[in-house]
Amino acid sequence: MAAKSYSNPIVKWIEYRLPIFSFLDHELNEYPTPRNLNYWWNFGSLAGIILVIMIATGIVLAMSYMPHVNYAFESVERIMRDVNYGWLLRYIHSNGGSAFFIVVYIHLFRGMYYGSYKAPRELLWIIGVVILLAMMATAFMGYVLPWGQMSFWAATVITNLFSAVPLVGESIVTWLWGGFSVDNPTLNRFYSLHYLLPFVIFALVFVHLWALHVHKSNNPTGVDIKGPQDTIPFHPYYTIKDTFGLGAFMIVFMFFVFFAPNFFGEPDNYIKANPLVTPAHIVPEWYFLPYYAILRAITFDIWFIPAKLIGVAAMFGSILILLFLPWLDRSKVRSATFRPIYKQVFWVFVVDCIILGWVGANTPDADFHGVKMLWIGQAATFYYFFHIVILIPLISVLETPRALPDSISQAVTPGGKS
Amino acid sequence: MNAMRKRLGAALAVLVALGLAAGAAMAAEGGKPPAQTWSFDGLFGTYDRAAAQRGFLVYNTVCAACHSLSLVAYRNLDGIGFKDDAIKAIAAAKEVPDGPNDQGEMFNRPGRPADRFARPFANDNAARAANNGALPPDLSLITKARKGGADYIHALMVGYKEPPTGVQMMEGMQYNAYFPGNQIAMAPPLTEGQVEYADGTKATVAQMAHDVATFLTWAAEPEMEERKRMGVKVLLFLIVLTAMLYALKRQIWTDVH
């Protein structure tokens, strides 16, 4: 870190003891960033901002929420009706969950397209996958808190998944519930963890950024930064670009908050939880639908392994497998721009994930022009794993990539020096 | 998932056996409710005060005999234009339980504006006992808790028909084209001229259905008018701000491009 001298005596005093000003200057102001980042690179900072919005609204909501089976549903309605701007806080928080996942999924697909997981950014990618897992746990437990019908039955279905674990499955489920069904102890602990996990995510985001700032951002060419001609300082170039992106994002986000606040929700969650009445269709929130489709795609035992266990393993495996992506993809070329075949199957993969989401929203025996939804789900699940385990390694070895530019500046500035 | 399916199957069997809420017990979906024109549609929608007040009259004289509205307080009625005196009179006409008093006895007293809407039954069991085993749902959130919202409420009110030939009706059930499963425990609640509107509007079934759906939408989303008003301002602000940010971004980046 370059020693910087400050004229303000207070700043100087603090800087001498804790070099926070030079740290901020180094990491946020002069931080060298590739000059060619496109708008797909906005989604990382957007995700960070949504995390802050979620924590801020969540802390205020927690002041009026009561985690008790007899009062949870009513206390949420009290927030909606009697707390000043409670409806605004709650709708920002509930739609913020959806916004968070949209942004993080785009961020993740961007990483896959431009090979941002490749050396030396493997740990950066792995921390990102861990953040995604922590987000999912947080979102799931948050969805249970309003104690509507979908809250209750989603909690029942998801916790029951752990009963698939051989031998100790049932004991694990009882342990998770704190009893013999989803009940008050379950709600209490979910509330506690829903409050804790965002701060764990916050810490993980800090580590994610730390790892990012060691080797700096990847870029659309996937070519390493070779010198100062390839970079521009983070401020003002990317601060203004990120702020503009935030404005555009907020227009869409606020449209849903104010004009379609229940668009992403299920009507059944406005019915108070009732353990004696099962909803006709139990569906998770939209951002879990692809995993739900994978879970339900496995309807067959393999040898002695029951279908349920394989389904659960496939569902968790669909995310955990991403941890190995840096080693499954052996291509030295990062960006799909220069990988003619990978580029095409990448988009097939995106479509496959969307199909999985669509299948997850329908019942398995539903019929799509004579094709059973279950079969579509099974084909899409097969392709999901086929893409990651077979296609990615295979293409990375067989494909002939196009010629890479010598440097970022050569690629983006006509006649630029390399 | 097998355990879940079994659980689900068992729950359905219990419901059918007891002849409870037929809708949940039937996998079949009801017909899609036709879309109506509502005063609260669109970015600038507001609640038609006259329709909402007429809807309150329908709720108060008809629905309230069986359906609670437990999340709404009488004082909230100022949101659809009732004056303080009218609200006091509406509340005072109801008996609400209170207590214990100095002697340790529970007692009933006339309602006050601060009270939530009085419940027609002391508890769910009493409600079932009086309704042939079926539980009339609380209506506070009904338009948010059903697909189709106000359209569904309207369709349900006007959707009673003779069962088509070949449809076997369960004991005490009515055929309704829009209710999931088509068999509903609620008898047709509205008949022509059932209430007398003070503003002279003719109380047809369709009119009452429209009014009560407006009232119930307000009851479910009393914040909607404020929300939409604020939303228009927020979006206008964000659009102008973002346009300026874009101009600033272009300007700052000129030396890079």
Side-chain angles (χ1 to χ4, degrees):
Chain A
M1 232 168 272
K4 221 171 166 167
S5 65
Y6 294 90
S7 50
N8 184 316
I10 298 172
V11 171
K12 216 169 184 167
W13 187 92
I14 296 172
E15 175 71 16
Y16 182 68
R17 286 151 182 85
L18 178 73
I20 188 166
F21 294 103
S22 55
F23 173 80
L24 290 176
D25 186 54
H26 187 74
E27 301 301 331
L28 294 174
N29 184 16
E30 66 187 30
Y31 175 68
T33 314
R35 57 193 301 150
N36 60 336
L37 299 188
N38 57 32
Y39 277 105
W40 296 111
W41 261 263
N42 277 53
F43 289 88
S45 75
L46 271 184
I49 292 165
I50 300 173
L51 177 63
V52 173
I53 292 174
M54 293 303 275
I55 290 177
T57 51
I59 287 173
V60 186
L61 286 169
M63 294 174 187
S64 301
Y65 171 77
M66 286 185 268
H68 187 286
V69 290
N70 291 349
Y71 306 114
F73 187 84
E74 284 80 2
S75 75
V76 170
E77 278 306 314
R78 230 186 141 71
I79 290 170
M80 292 297 290
R81 290 159 191 267
D82 292 336
V83 174
N84 290 332
Y85 299 106
W87 57 268
L88 180 57
L89 289 165
R90 175 167 179 253
Y91 278 155
I92 290 176
H93 199 74
S94 60
N95 285 284
S98 287
F100 206 173
F101 275 95
I102 292 173
V103 165
V104 162
Y105 284 152
I106 294 174
H107 185 60
L108 189 150
F109 279 121
R110 190 271 289 153
M112 290 183 85
Y113 185 86
Y114 291 111
S116 301
Y117 48 82
K118 293 185 190 180
R121 297 188 182 83
E122 301 97 320
L123 270 181
L124 175 59
W125 171 262
I126 287 171
I127 297 160
V129 176
V130 175
I131 291 173
L132 177 64
L133 287 168
M135 267 178 69
M136 289 173 150
T138 311
F140 161 64
M141 286 188 277
Y143 190 58
V144 175
L145 302 186
W147 209 243
Q149 274 289 68
M150 280 298 166
S151 299
F152 178 87
W153 289 99
T156 303
V157 171
I158 301 299
T159 48
N160 256 314
L161 294 180
F162 290 91
S163 68
V165 177
L167 303 174
V168 291
E170 294 294 336
S171 309
I172 291 177
V173 174
T174 308
W175 175 71
L176 288 173
W177 286 341
F180 298 99
S181 65
V182 173
D183 208 333
N184 203 47
T186 327
L187 179 59
N188 279 182
R189 63 190 55 191
F190 278 20
Y191 177 57
S192 169
L193 294 173
H194 182 71
Y195 206 117
L196 167 71
L197 280 177
F199 297 96
V200 174
I201 294 175
F202 200 85
L204 286 168
V205 167
F206 192 82
V207 182
H208 192 64
L209 284 173
W210 185 6
L212 172 72
H213 280 224
V214 175
H215 290 285
K216 314 285 186 288
S217 289
N218 183 29
N219 68 84
T221 66
V223 176
D224 283 328
I225 296 169
K226 301 221 167 95
Q229 72 280 9
D230 290 342
T231 65
I232 44 180
F234 191 79
H235 182 73
Y237 296 104
Y238 286 105
T239 42
I240 183 62
K241 195 171 178 178
D242 281 353
T243 312
F244 163 61
L246 175 66
F249 164 78
M250 287 300 273
I251 292 172
V252 180
F253 180 28
M254 287 300 126
F255 173 82
F256 281 101
V257 167
F258 285 103
F259 297 105
N262 295 301
F263 177 82
F264 294 105
E266 278 293 317
D268 271 21
N269 225 27
Y270 280 108
I271 304 170
K272 188 176 174 174
N274 184 348
L276 298 177
V277 178
T278 317
H281 306 296
I282 301 175
V283 283
E285 287 278 81
W286 69 267
Y287 39 79
F288 291 140
L289 289 175
Y291 313 106
Y292 197 48
I294 292 175
L295 171 76
R296 294 191 301 184
I298 314 295
T299 50
F300 42 84
D301 300 348
I302 300 179
W303 300 308
F304 56 89
I305 311 170
K308 182 178 173 182
L309 177 58
I310 305 169
V312 172
M315 184 180 76
F316 286 111
S318 68
I319 300 164
L320 295 177
I321 203 166
L322 297 174
L323 295 169
F324 301 97
L325 202 54
W327 295 277
L328 287 167
D329 186 348
R330 312 194 63 80
S331 172
K332 293 277 177 263
V333 176
R334 292 199 189 100
S335 174
T337 312
F338 303 101
R339 301 183 58 191
I341 301 172
Y342 175 73
K343 187 186 195 164
Q344 287 172 29
V345 295
F346 167 84
W347 288 110
V348 177
F349 181 70
V350 173
V351 171
D352 186 61
C353 291
I354 294 169
I355 290 174
L356 280 171
W358 166 66
V359 171
N362 286 283
T363 52
D365 50 359
D367 180 277
F368 179 72
H369 297 295
V371 186
K372 258 175 76 173
M373 219 27 122
L374 173 67
W375 300 341
I376 302 175
Q378 288 175 335
T381 301
F382 172 78
Y383 184 81
Y384 182 95
F385 289 99
F386 178 74
H387 175 90
I388 295 176
V389 181
I390 309 288
L391 279 185
I392 284 185
L394 214 59
I395 292 171
S396 68
V397 178
L398 299 178
E399 177 185 55
T400 316
R402 286 170 43 209
L404 291 175
D406 290 335
S407 73
I408 295 170
S409 63
Q410 191 219 23
V412 294
T413 47
K417 343 180 256 237
S418 55
Chain B
M1 293 304 289
N2 287 336
M4 269 310 305
R5 287 215 190 88
K6 261 181 232 153
R7 194 183 286 260
L8 202 140
L12 293 186
V14 167
L15 285 178
V16 174
L18 295 178
L20 305 183
M26 301 279 170
E29 303 270 340
K32 189 174 158 51
Q36 308 289 320
T37 309
W38 301 104
S39 54
F40 45 84
D41 284 340
L43 299 191
F44 302 98
T46 53
Y47 294 115
D48 176 348
R49 296 291 187 276
Q53 290 190 15
R54 288 195 302 268
F56 166 74
L57 183 69
V58 175
Y59 167 77
N60 209 29
T61 27
V62 185
C63 322
C66 300
H67 292 277
S68 57
L69 196 70
S70 60
L71 298 172
V72 183
Y74 294 112
R75 63 180 165 81
N76 296 140
L77 288 171
D78 69 351
I80 48 172
F82 280 102
K83 300 279 176 259
D84 286 355
D85 290 343
I87 293 172
K88 276 186 188 139
I90 289 164
K94 301 284 175 181
E95 290 267 289
V96 296
D98 201 348
N101 62 12
D102 298 348
Q103 271 70 49
E105 308 284 341
M106 302 301 286
F107 60 93
N108 283 344
R109 57 163 176 79
R112 294 191 285 252
D115 290 321
R116 308 257 156 175
F117 273 53
R119 295 162 189 258
F121 300 105
N123 52 56
D124 285 359
N125 287 8
R128 284 189 197 282
N131 286 285
N132 195 24
L135 177 66
D138 185 90
L139 297 183
S140 313
L141 286 165
I142 201 74
T143 59
K144 284 167 106 176
R146 295 290 183 276
K147 282 202 168 74
D151 289 336
Y152 169 76
I153 300 300
H154 181 272
L156 192 74
M157 293 297 102
V158 301
Y160 285 90
K161 289 188 176 67
E162 284 300 309
T165 43
V167 172
Q168 189 64 43
M169 299 300 290
M170 287 192 289
E171 178 81 27
M173 291 292 182
Q174 318 287 326
Y175 186 87
N176 190 305
Y178 299 101
F179 193 70
N182 298 132
Q183 305 208 20
I184 185 167
M186 175 169 66
L190 301 176
T191 49
E192 176 119 12
Q194 192 168 11
V195 297
E196 199 170 319
Y197 284 142
D199 61 3
T201 307
K202 200 165 179 301
T204 61
V205 170
Q207 180 67 44
M208 288 186 286
H210 183 90
D211 292 344
V212 82
T214 303
F215 171 71
L216 290 175
T217 306
W218 165 80
E221 303 187 82
E223 89 298 344
M224 185 213 72
E225 292 186 354
E226 190 191 4
R227 169 158 60 76
K228 288 183 175 174
R229 270 200 309 272
M230 192 191 288
V232 170
K233 286 183 227 160
V234 167
L235 284 194
L236 284 176
F237 169 80
L238 281 173
I239 288 167
V240 172
L241 175 73
T242 306
M244 294 198 304
L245 286 170
Y246 181 66
L248 188 58
K249 190 258 162 192
R250 286 286 297 257
Q251 205 226 329
I252 289 175
W253 277 70
T254 39
D255 60 336
V256 177
H257 288 308

